[in-house]
Amino acid sequence: MLKIKIFLGLLFLHVNLFAQKNNNQLPKSYVCYHTTEKLQIDGELQEPNWQNTPWTETFVDIEGDKKPLPLFETKVKMLWDNDYLYIAAFLEEPHLWATYDQRDMVIFHENNFEVFIDPDGDTHQYYEFEINALETFWDLMLMKPYRDGGSAVNSWDIKGLKKAVKLNGTLNDGSDTDTSWVVEMAFPWEVLKECAPKGRKPSSGEYWRVNFSRVKWKTEWKSNKYIKVLNPETGKAFPEFNWVWSPQGVINMQQPETWGYLQFSNKEPSKELKKETFEIPEVEAVKMMLRKLYYLQQEKFHENESYFIKKEDLQKELNHSANYDYTLIGGQTWYRITIVFQGDKWVIREDGKIWNENL
């Protein structure tokens, strides 16, 4: 297992034009326990199962160790049952602010909390959800990342979603200092399984790829309202802060390969339960090897509008020998790279999709 982690760490060091530049951190992981207790979606998190469920690590900057720690605490906890994936988020906040009040508005133009879910880990057909302190939300699906020519499907809806926001303070009132806001959500498997392996909800022991982001703007109270603080040198608002659970290495959430691992457990949380840890399966090292080759191909195409056609030319671009043997077929505008691992054929193509040909 140590060998796998070292190898994955080396892969994340690769500098490229399209993905995690100098990201030397492995994706985070979280074991999601099962609940038989009925949860009231009210933002209170008072049920025993919620109380006994551990929080994730505190969020960091989206670029990871390259940037300072966030100004305010953000953390998440998760549970699941036969009907829903439950997500709760705590966001420390001295100035509660939200004005966007219509569904599917571009909520990240103000402060928000975001959820990203890729059920099968192929970096295609994944979900994005954003919500603000007014409980306004934006739900969408990405057929593939923007870098690979993807676009957002705003017409996709999370039917049956349950959500609640609890404000510990007063919204849009700069005359006082607030404390925090809490988001509680229940995502139905009937919707999430659409992009899941074999079109079903997960089983104990299986894992999905997920991440969470918090967008925070610099604001000031002026003329009885919050406004974004302007940079005097540019006359424009200062860039927003992007704080995440699993660091991306670059300011880009549309990079599913650097999202965290969410493993499902059939154990119920309790004070006596010893906390489980997620062990990265070796097949993830295979996928990251394919991803590194994809990065090299993307850089080649960016420079020459043509991919590597011969394996020996692609191999020369690796900064170390390949940990897994692979085959390459393709032409100037397409390719397929395959690694055979434990009898399965893992493939990546020019738009970044990874899949198991045996399934």
Side-chain angles (χ1 to χ4, degrees):
M1 186 57 61
L2 178 61
K3 179 181 178 181
I4 295 172
K5 290 184 177 180
I6 292 174
F7 172 60
L8 284 170
L10 288 173
L11 287 176
F12 276 96
L13 285 171
H14 180 61
V15 178
N16 59 84
L17 298 175
F18 298 89
Q20 67 263 24
K21 297 182 180 180
N22 296 321
N23 185 11
N24 58 3
Q25 300 182 50
L26 293 175
K28 300 288 187 180
S29 62
Y30 185 90
V31 175
C32 185
Y33 295 117
H34 192 268
T35 177
T36 58
E37 181 181 38
K38 182 176 177 59
L39 302 179
Q40 184 69 34
I41 307 303
D42 54 12
E44 297 288 344
L45 313 183
Q46 292 301 311
E47 294 86 355
N49 275 354
W50 265 141
Q51 291 292 307
N52 292 327
T53 297
W55 291 100
T56 62
E57 303 92 336
T58 299
F59 283 24
V60 297
D61 188 88
I62 191 170
E63 296 186 76
D65 292 341
K66 292 184 291 185
K67 293 296 178 68
L69 291 173
L71 301 172
F72 306 111
E73 183 181 29
T74 312
K75 55 188 178 181
V76 170
K77 60 171 65 178
M78 290 165 274
L79 286 167
W80 70 299
D81 63 15
N82 294 333
D83 300 310
Y84 297 97
L85 170 63
Y86 300 96
I87 298 173
F90 170 86
L91 303 92
E92 182 185 12
E93 178 56 68
H95 303 291
L96 291 168
W97 169 56
T99 65
Y100 284 17
D101 58 1
Q102 296 182 37
R103 181 174 178 170
D104 291 343
M105 295 181 76
V106 184
I107 300 176
F108 64 76
H109 287 164
E110 295 184 343
N111 297 344
N112 79 344
F113 175 73
E114 304 176 354
V115 178
F116 298 84
I117 303 174
D118 182 8
D120 59 7
D122 67 351
T123 74
H124 282 214
Q125 292 184 301
Y126 58 86
Y127 310 116
E128 179 177 348
F129 176 86
E130 304 185 12
I131 191 167
N132 67 7
L134 270 173
E135 212 173 298
T136 306
F137 68 96
W138 180 19
D139 51 351
L140 60 152
M141 177 191 289
L142 276 294
M143 302 310 292
K144 54 185 174 181
Y146 298 119
R147 68 184 179 200
D148 297 308
S151 58
V153 181
N154 285 304
S155 59
W156 179 79
D157 292 334
I158 305 179
K159 297 179 180 178
L161 171 76
K162 297 181 180 181
K163 57 184 174 58
V165 172
K166 178 188 176 184
L167 303 180
N168 296 309
T170 52
L171 186 65
N172 299 327
D173 184 356
S175 65
D176 62 2
T177 299
D178 308 310
T179 302
S180 63
W181 55 301
V182 177
V183 181
E184 185 178 12
M185 298 165 287
F187 293 89
W189 296 123
E190 281 302 310
V191 177
L192 294 183
K193 71 181 186 180
E194 178 181 352
C195 297
K198 299 181 181 179
R200 60 169 175 79
K201 62 185 179 184
S203 298
S204 180
E206 295 178 338
Y207 60 94
W208 287 12
R209 301 301 297 271
V210 303
N211 210 351
F212 307 97
S213 172
R214 176 183 180 178
V215 171
K216 168 71 175 174
W217 294 86
K218 290 184 177 181
T219 60
E220 60 181 338
W221 184 249
K222 197 171 184 178
S223 301
N224 291 319
K225 64 180 180 180
Y226 283 114
I227 61 172
K228 295 176 183 177
V229 177
L230 301 183
N231 183 337
E233 295 182 0
T234 65
K236 299 179 180 179
F238 281 101
E240 74 279 13
F241 293 106
N242 293 276
W243 301 329
V244 304
W245 171 49
S246 191
Q248 297 290 93
V250 292
I251 305 175
N252 180 11
M253 286 304 298
Q254 308 298 333
Q255 190 174 274
E257 67 271 17
T258 47
W259 295 352
Y261 294 98
L262 177 64
Q263 184 179 49
F264 299 93
S265 171
N266 59 8
K267 296 180 180 179
E268 192 155 355
S270 68
K271 293 180 180 179
E272 295 75 26
L273 180 64
K274 183 179 179 181
K275 185 178 178 181
E276 295 184 52
T277 57
F278 175 77
E279 294 292 335
I280 300 175
E282 190 175 354
V283 69
E284 290 300 314
V286 174
K287 293 179 184 178
M288 287 311 303
M289 183 73 237
L290 289 170
R291 183 64 56 187
K292 180 169 186 178
L293 296 169
Y294 156 86
Y295 294 149
L296 294 173
Q297 287 282 45
Q298 295 303 93
E299 291 178 3
K300 173 67 161 55
F301 193 87
H302 179 78
E303 294 171 358
N304 304 103
E305 296 187 357
S306 173
Y307 294 116
F308 290 109
I309 298 175
K310 296 180 180 180
K311 177 181 175 181
E312 53 266 33
D313 294 332
L314 176 58
Q315 186 65 26
K316 290 178 183 178
E317 297 300 311
L318 285 173
N319 54 17
H320 60 84
S321 60
N323 293 67
Y324 301 92
D325 190 29
Y326 62 92
T327 60
L328 167 65
I329 61 172
Q332 291 186 337
T333 59
W334 71 278
Y335 64 85
R336 301 290 185 272
I337 301 174
T338 303
I339 293 176
V340 178
F341 176 73
Q342 296 182 350
D344 290 328
K345 291 184 178 180
W346 289 93
V347 185
I348 194 167
R349 67 189 187 197
E350 68 279 353
D351 64 358
K353 181 179 174 66
I354 288 181
W355 73 95
N356 184 346
E357 278 198 345
N358 295 65
L359 297 180

